[in-house]
Amino acid sequence: MQIYEELKARGLIAQVTDEEEIRELVNNGKATFYIGFDCTADSLTAGHFMALTLMKRLQQAGNKPVALIGGGTTMIGDPSGRTDMRKMLTIEDINHNAECFRRQMEKFIDFGEGKAIMVNNADWLLDLNYVELLREVGTYFSVNNMLRAECYKQRMEKGLSFFEFNYMIMQSYDFYHLFQKYGCNMQFGGDDQWSNMLGGTELIRKKLGKDAYAMTITLLTDSQGKKMGKTAGNAVWLDPNKTSPYDFYQYWRNVDDADVLKCIRMLTFLPLEQIEEMSEWKDAQLNNAKEILAFELTKMVHGEEEAASAQEKARAVFGGSTEHIPETVIGEDALTDGKADIMGLLVLSGLCASRSDARRNIQQGGVLVGEEKCTDINRCFDGEVLRAGVVLRRGKKSFKRVVLK
């Protein structure tokens, strides 16, 4: 099976502009394609997995990835899927985040000589002359069409700033620039980016009279898609200093039964024949599928040794052992009058996103202290108890031992 057909079989392709031309390019390793990453944080998240694994698949088939760091577009902020304007970052923050992204991407993509390249759109966007840009690019965009674009619809009711309205033009200019300088003939992105991607494709065709193509990858849009990149209210980071290998493993180990095979098909490199056999698995066998998913993805990000260790610890915890439960260490500054309350500990441990989230989980009966269900939102623990360690559990599968040191 050739790469394009494999992408379709894995359920990865949502829309394409010219399917036969794209199939010919990618199957013959002739695509130079880019995917953009706005560096709004200093770590990629689980939500970036789809793009990273797609780039790896296509590179293995002989195509050339261009990882575009959005140093310039991050200064505007993509309004897609937003109900409010993103926080503006400083240039120093953006540059730091971009360097962090590169180190994490190198685990998926080969940036060796003649292989993939990484570029930063700040190198060309920040020096643009506004009037020249309007004359060179602005005449190719219809405001009527832009206002109908899906990426702006959620913002129209609350108000879309002219600042953000420029994002589509900036992203389109990226493709135009990469096409001319690097021979980049294809762009990939999430299905929610379709309007922005069409803008770049049409700009090249209208302005240069040359062919360029766009393809969007399917996002996980059901219950798993809504959770992608989130756990206990916090992002699941690829940086091990933000999300430990164990927590990363647990995130994928805890996916819904209905989503596990979809995630295995889309995100892992297991053969489709093996995945097809799993489609017959039911009940307890689905737990085996979840372990396979969690191990494969943790191995990609943290290495096989860490993945095996995380799996061993998870199995021990589910088997009733408390030895391998991950710890959250707190200091004396976390105490008030020598005590810490249950809601504060749930937040400090990362089991809940906020005190209101902790309150809701307690009131709904979803929090245990040791083996005892906690129903008192005002419950407190003194220093002596915390020094011995308190095991907290949210739901059936999220554990943390909180220790005062």
Side-chain angles (χ1 to χ4, degrees):
M1 184 183 294
Q2 292 186 287
I3 183 62
Y4 185 81
E5 286 67 33
E6 181 180 348
L7 295 180
K8 293 194 74 172
R10 289 182 180 274
L12 286 168
I13 298 176
Q15 301 180 81
V16 298
T17 52
D18 307 87
E19 185 168 45
E20 289 307 312
E21 290 85 348
I22 288 176
R23 177 186 284 109
E24 172 71 17
L25 286 169
V26 300
N27 282 346
N28 291 286
K30 295 180 180 179
T32 297
F33 67 96
Y34 94 89
I35 297 181
F37 299 83
D38 275 352
C39 35
T40 52
D42 60 0
S43 174
L44 297 165
T45 72
H48 291 105
F49 242 116
M50 197 80 75
L52 294 171
T53 54
L54 178 69
M55 295 176 88
K56 183 174 182 176
R57 292 182 206 279
L58 289 166
Q59 186 176 48
Q60 289 177 340
N63 299 286
K64 185 175 182 178
V66 177
L68 173 66
I69 297 298
T73 40
T74 301
M75 297 190 72
I76 296 177
D78 183 3
S80 300
R82 301 284 297 185
T83 57
D84 55 2
M85 194 165 78
R86 295 181 188 272
K87 177 185 176 182
M88 292 189 212
L89 302 179
T90 66
I91 292 177
E92 291 75 20
D93 287 339
I94 292 171
N95 290 339
H96 170 72
N97 294 347
E99 182 56 35
C100 294
F101 276 24
R102 182 185 181 95
R103 292 196 299 270
Q104 293 158 21
M105 287 179 181
E106 287 173 343
K107 296 178 181 179
F108 295 83
I109 306 163
D110 183 358
F111 287 101
E113 186 174 353
K115 305 290 185 178
I117 61 172
M118 177 175 282
V119 295
N120 188 331
N121 64 15
D123 294 341
W124 57 86
L125 291 182
L126 299 188
D127 292 331
L128 287 174
N129 179 288
Y130 186 62
V131 174
E132 289 180 4
L133 177 68
L134 290 178
R135 289 175 60 87
E136 184 178 4
V137 176
T139 55
Y140 294 92
F141 286 83
S142 162
V143 172
N144 291 348
N145 289 339
M146 292 174 73
L147 290 174
R148 286 193 291 268
E150 192 67 33
C151 60
Y152 292 138
K153 284 184 178 179
Q154 284 187 293
R155 294 300 313 280
M156 292 301 292
E157 291 184 8
K158 288 193 173 182
L160 175 71
S161 71
F162 183 72
F163 182 64
E164 296 167 284
F165 190 59
N166 279 271
Y167 191 91
M168 182 185 290
I169 295 177
M170 295 295 98
Q171 183 171 332
S172 300
Y173 190 86
D174 282 343
F175 193 18
Y176 172 71
H177 177 88
L178 295 174
F179 183 94
Q180 293 192 97
K181 185 167 183 178
Y182 300 103
C184 181
N185 54 15
M186 198 175 299
Q187 59 178 328
F188 289 77
D191 202 24
D192 59 341
Q193 287 288 309
W194 187 239
S195 298
N196 288 345
M197 294 168 67
L198 284 181
T201 301
E202 291 303 307
L203 176 62
I204 292 169
R205 292 180 175 182
K206 291 176 181 178
K207 188 168 177 60
L208 302 177
K210 296 182 179 180
D211 288 329
Y213 308 98
M215 181 192 297
T216 66
I217 55 179
T218 304
L219 299 177
L220 296 174
T221 54
D222 54 15
S223 57
Q224 178 60 24
K226 295 173 183 177
K227 296 185 299 183
M228 180 64 90
K230 300 285 184 180
T231 185
N234 299 310
V236 180
W237 306 100
L238 272 57
D239 183 342
N241 294 317
K242 289 177 170 286
T243 299
S244 71
Y246 174 83
D247 287 336
F248 190 84
Y249 178 95
Q250 284 292 78
Y251 169 71
W252 296 105
R253 173 62 179 78
N254 293 339
V255 300
D256 292 341
D257 289 357
D259 299 320
V260 60
L261 287 178
K262 181 184 290 187
C263 289
I264 289 175
R265 187 176 291 109
M266 289 181 164
L267 303 178
T268 76
F269 287 79
L270 295 177
L272 284 167
E273 295 81 3
Q274 181 181 347
I275 299 172
E276 188 60 30
E277 292 176 4
M278 293 183 194
S279 65
E280 303 297 322
W281 291 5
K282 296 179 181 179
D283 303 324
Q285 286 180 306
L286 286 177
N287 288 327
N288 294 335
K290 292 178 183 182
E291 284 196 341
I292 291 171
L293 171 68
F295 180 83
E296 290 296 321
L297 299 190
T298 306
K299 180 174 68 173
M300 269 191 260
V301 175
H302 299 292
E304 188 163 0
E305 184 177 344
E306 289 286 4
S309 174
Q311 187 170 75
E312 180 184 356
K313 292 177 182 178
R315 286 174 174 173
V317 170
F318 284 116
S321 170
T322 61
E323 179 182 355
H324 296 296
I325 292 177
E327 284 189 351
T328 295
V329 177
I330 63 174
E332 295 286 346
D333 58 346
L335 306 183
T336 301
D337 296 329
K339 297 180 180 180
D341 71 295
I342 182 68
M343 290 194 292
L345 293 180
L346 287 168
V347 174
L348 289 172
S349 67
L351 291 173
C352 292
S354 63
R355 291 183 67 87
S356 59
D357 183 32
R359 177 191 294 270
R360 182 168 56 255
N361 274 275
I362 294 169
Q363 291 175 336
Q364 292 175 353
V367 173
L368 279 76
V369 178
E371 296 299 321
E372 174 193 353
K373 183 177 290 187
C374 177
T375 57
D376 181 5
I377 61 173
N378 297 312
R379 182 170 178 177
C380 291
F381 305 86
D382 61 27
E384 182 179 353
V385 171
L386 289 169
R387 287 186 184 91
V390 175
V391 176
L392 303 178
R393 187 171 81 187
R394 182 185 65 82
K396 295 181 179 179
K397 302 173 182 178
S398 298
F399 299 80
K400 280 290 177 72
R401 184 202 309 274
V402 182
V403 181
L404 175 65
K405 292 186 179 178

